[in-house]
Amino acid sequence: GNSYLMDGQHRMLAVVQSGMPMTTVVIEGLDPLSFPSIDSGKRRSLADVLSILDFAHPSVLSGGLNILDKYYNGGIGKGGSTTASLPNETAEALMNKYPDMTKSAALASRMTSTNPISAAITCALHYIFAHIQPKAAQIGLVGEAAATLEQEETANSFFIKLGRGLALTEDCPIRRFREVMLRHKQAKVSCSRYYILAGVIKAWNHWRKGTQLKRFVHAVDGKASSFPKAK
C-alpha cells in the first residue's frame, strides 16, 4: 500500500482498454517529492518536428510557416499575432500544402550574414512573392509554366538584391529600404515584425512598378486591416 504510480498512467490505461501487453521500463523507489519535476523537459518545437521529418533548414522553415499562415489568413496585425506559434501537429500538413517553402528556406539560409531582415521573414515573403499569380497578359505571351517560373525568378532577384545589397541603383526601392533597416540596426533600434514585413512588401511593390525613391517613407499603425498586400 506504499507504492504509487507517478507517471505513465495513460500507457497503463491503454493496455487495460486495448488488452494488448507492452514492455516498458519501471523505476522504483523514487522520492515522492520528485513528482513536480516529471515531464518538465524542453517542449518539442515546430522546428524540432520539421527536423524529425527530415526537412532542411527546420528553424527557418518553422518561422517562415508561422508568417506565411498568418499572411494568407489575415492574421498579421497588432497584438503580437505575427509571432504566435502554429501547433506542432500541423507541420507535415503545412509542408504538403506549401512544398516550395524548402526552396525559399534554402535561399534565405544562404544570406544570413548580409541580410538586413531575418531568414524567417525572407523565407515567408520569398514564397509569397514567388507565388503571386502572373498577369493574364504575361501568361498569354509566354504560357503559364514560363510565366510562373519567371515570377519565381523575379522573387529570387529581389531577395538576392535585398540580402546582399549589390547592383542597386541610387534610388532603387530595395536600396532605400535596406538603408532604413541598416540604420535601425546601427542605432540598435528594435523593429516589430509587422514593421519589417510591411516594409519589405512596400519595397517589393515599388520595385515591381519600377518606382524610383529618393527616400523610403515607412510609418505603419500595426493594424491587420491596413497591412499591405504583395502585388
Side-chain angles (χ1 to χ4, degrees):
N2 295 322
S3 295
Y4 299 89
L5 181 66
M6 296 172 65
D7 192 27
Q9 66 271 24
H10 294 108
R11 279 172 289 175
M12 299 300 98
L13 182 61
V15 169
V16 172
Q17 292 183 347
S18 68
M20 297 291 292
M22 62 174 287
T23 301
T24 187
V25 174
V26 178
I27 301 174
E28 298 179 329
L30 292 175
D31 187 333
L33 295 178
S34 67
F35 178 76
S37 65
I38 293 175
D39 292 336
S40 61
K42 183 177 181 293
R43 181 181 178 273
R44 183 174 287 168
S45 67
L46 182 63
D48 294 330
V49 176
L50 291 166
S51 179
I52 291 167
L53 294 172
D54 207 27
F55 287 105
H57 317 295
S59 296
V60 176
L61 272 178
S62 172
L65 284 169
N66 270 286
I67 296 167
L68 188 69
D69 183 73
K70 290 167 181 60
Y71 176 87
Y72 284 139
N73 292 292
I76 298 180
K78 196 172 182 180
S81 59
T82 55
T83 57
S85 297
L86 293 168
N88 290 352
E89 59 268 23
T90 64
E92 192 165 14
L94 285 168
M95 289 308 301
N96 288 335
K97 187 176 181 180
Y98 308 118
D100 285 348
M101 279 291 279
T102 54
K103 296 181 185 178
S104 301
L107 181 141
S109 299
R110 292 199 300 267
M111 301 184 296
T112 53
S113 62
T114 57
N115 197 347
I117 62 175
S118 73
I121 290 176
T122 300
C123 177
L125 291 183
H126 174 270
Y127 182 94
I128 291 165
F129 296 170
H131 288 79
I132 294 172
Q133 179 65 30
K135 295 185 185 308
Q138 185 63 13
I139 293 174
L141 188 64
V142 299
E144 186 171 1
T148 300
L149 179 60
E150 186 176 289
Q151 182 67 27
E152 183 179 333
E153 291 173 347
T154 301
N156 290 347
S157 178
F158 176 87
F159 279 103
I160 289 170
K161 290 176 182 292
L162 176 62
R164 295 179 178 159
L166 301 175
L168 298 175
T169 59
E170 184 175 355
D171 295 334
C172 176
I174 301 173
R175 175 176 178 171
R176 293 306 185 196
F177 175 71
R178 182 181 166 85
E179 289 171 346
V180 169
M181 294 308 302
L182 292 176
R183 282 198 299 270
H184 287 326
K185 184 176 181 179
Q186 186 176 20
K188 297 181 179 179
V189 174
S190 178
C191 300
S192 71
R193 184 174 287 185
Y194 181 102
Y195 177 91
I196 299 170
L197 286 165
V200 178
I201 292 173
K202 285 174 68 176
W204 161 264
N205 288 343
H206 281 307
W207 181 69
R208 287 268 283 171
K209 288 193 299 183
T211 307
Q212 297 294 294
L213 300 177
K214 293 296 182 184
R215 57 192 292 264
F216 193 90
V217 179
H218 183 43
V220 294
D221 57 18
K223 295 177 182 176
S225 59
S226 60
F227 190 78
K229 291 294 182 184
K231 301 174 183 176

